C-alpha cells in the first residue's frame, strides 16, 4: 500500500480540518443540548459535546506538533506556543495559538474546576468557546493552502452556517421563554388583584 499522501504537510492540513470539524461539532452539540427540540437527547448531546471537544484538543496538539517536524516551513517550539513569535505568518499563526489556549481553558475548567469556580463564573468562561471558534475559523481560512478549493469553502461555510443557525434558535427560544414568563407573571398579578388567586 502506498502511504506517500500521508506526508507531514498533508497530515498538518488533514489534522487542521479534523480539529476544525471536531471543535465545530462540539460547539454545535453543546448549544443544541439546551434547545427545547433536543431535550430528550440532552444527555447524548452533552456526552458528544465533551468527547468531541477533547478529541479536537488532541488533534490540535498533533497538528501543532507536526509543524515542528515539517521540513518545508519548520516551526520552533516557541513559535508554535508563544503567540506572534512565528517567522511564518506571525499574526495568522497566533490566531491558531490563542484559539488553542482559549479552548484549553474552557475544556479544563469544564471538567476539573466547575465546583470551585461556581456556576456563574464557569458559564462566563465557557462562552469563550465562541471567540475561540471564530479565531480558529479565521486561522484556517486565512493561513490554509486549501482555502481556495470549493470543498474547503463548503467545510468552512457549513460550519459557520451551522453555528449561526443554532445560535439564532437559542436566541429565539430564550426570547420566547422570557416573553411567556412575563405574560404568566402579569396574568397571575391580574388574577391576584381580582382576588382569584391567593
Ligand atoms: C484550535 C487550534 C487550531 C485549529 C483548529 C487549526 C486549524 C487549521 C486549519 C483548518 C488549517 C487549514 C488547513 C489547510 O487549508 O490545508 C490550518 C492550517 C495551518 N495551521 Fe492551524 N489550527 C490550530 C492551531 C494552530 C497552531 C497553534 C499553529 C502554530 C502556530 C498552527 C499553524 C498552522 C499552519 C502553519 C497552517 C498552514 C498549513 C498549510 O495549509 O500549509 N495552527 N490550521
Amino acid at each position: 500500500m502506498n502511504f506517500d499522501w500521508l506526508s507531514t504537510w498533508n497530515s498538518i492540513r488533514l489534522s487542521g480540518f479534523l480539529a476544525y470539524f471536531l471543535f465545530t461539532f462540539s460547539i454545535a452539540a453543546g448549544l443544541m443540548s439546551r434547545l427545547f427540540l433536543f431535550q430528550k437527547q440532552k444527555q447524548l448531546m452533552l456526552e458528544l459535546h465533551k468527547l468531541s471537544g477533547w478529541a479536537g484538543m488532541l488533534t490540535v496538539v498533533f497538528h501543532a506538533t507536526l509543524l515542528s517536524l515539517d521540513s518545508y516551513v519548520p516551526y520552533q517550539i516557541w513559535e508554535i506556543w508563544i503567540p506572534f513569535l512565528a517567522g511564518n505568518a506571525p499574526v495568522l499563526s497566533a490566531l491558531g495559538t490563542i484559539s488553542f489556549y482559549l479552548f484549553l481553558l474552557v475544556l479544563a475548567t469544564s471538567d476539573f474546576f466547575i465546583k470551585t469556580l461556581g456556576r456563574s463564573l464557569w458559564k462566563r468562561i465557557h462562552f469563550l468557546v465562541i471567540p475561540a471558534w471564530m479565531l480558529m475559523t479565521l486561522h484556517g481560512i486565512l493561513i490554509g493552502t486549501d482555502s481556495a478549493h470549493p470543498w474547503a469553502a463548503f467545510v468552512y461555510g457549513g460550519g459557520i452556517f451551522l453555528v449561526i443557525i443554532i445560535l439564532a434558535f437559542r436566541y429565539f427560544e430564550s426570547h420566547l421563554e422570557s416573553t411567556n414568563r412575563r405574560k404568566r407573571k402579569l396574568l397571575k398579578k391580574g388574577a391576584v388583584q381580582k382576588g382569584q388567586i391567593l
Side-chain angles (χ1 to χ4, degrees):
M1 210 169 186
N2 187 353
F3 284 104
D4 282 355
W5 59 274
L6 208 58
S7 62
T8 315
W9 186 52
N10 279 346
S11 307
I12 290 169
R13 292 157 62 204
L14 194 68
S15 55
F17 274 108
L18 186 60
Y20 175 81
F21 170 79
L22 288 166
F23 279 137
T24 305
F25 182 85
S26 171
I27 289 168
L31 289 170
M32 277 156 69
S33 73
R34 294 281 308 273
L35 286 178
F36 182 68
L37 206 65
F38 291 95
Q39 279 321 287
K40 280 192 180 149
Q41 293 87 15
K42 189 180 175 101
Q43 213 42 48
L44 173 69
M45 288 290 166
L46 287 174
E47 287 303 320
L48 289 174
H49 170 59
K50 254 203 242 171
L51 201 71
S52 48
W54 280 109
M57 185 47 68
L58 284 180
T59 314
V60 172
V61 172
F62 182 63
H63 174 69
T65 307
L66 286 176
L67 285 166
S68 58
L69 305 177
D70 190 35
S71 51
Y72 187 59
V73 187
Y75 274 72
Q76 300 299 323
I77 298 289
W78 59 87
E79 292 182 283
I80 296 171
W81 301 116
I82 306 177
F84 306 105
L85 288 196
N88 171 53
V91 175
L92 301 182
S93 295
L95 295 184
T97 309
I98 296 168
S99 149
F100 167 81
Y101 287 128
L102 289 177
F103 276 122
L104 186 63
L105 179 69
V106 170
L107 281 164
T109 51
S110 294
D111 278 15
F112 306 122
F113 298 108
I114 187 163
K115 283 203 180 104
T116 326
L117 291 168
R119 209 167 165 82
S120 152
L121 179 59
W122 168 80
K123 208 170 179 178
R124 260 180 277 163
I125 294 176
H126 208 72
F127 270 95
L128 286 174
V129 284
I130 301 295
W133 175 79
M134 287 175 175
L135 292 182
M136 89 165 178
T137 306
L138 281 176
H139 164 81
I141 292 174
L142 299 175
I143 205 174
T145 337
D146 295 305
S147 302
H149 293 292
W151 62 263
F154 181 76
V155 173
Y156 290 124
I160 294 168
F161 178 76
L162 184 70
V163 171
I164 290 179
I165 211 88
I166 301 172
L167 279 174
F169 263 103
R170 283 279 298 256
Y171 174 79
F172 285 124
E173 255 195 31
S174 73
H175 185 71
L176 206 71
E177 221 170 83
S178 64
T179 313
N180 283 343
R181 214 176 306 133
R182 226 174 308 132
K183 264 190 202 158
R184 275 199 301 272
K185 242 187 197 169
L186 285 173
L187 277 174
K188 200 171 172 186
K189 213 170 153 191
V192 168
Q193 276 168 359
K194 283 186 193 163
Q196 291 167 340
I197 296 178
L198 274 176

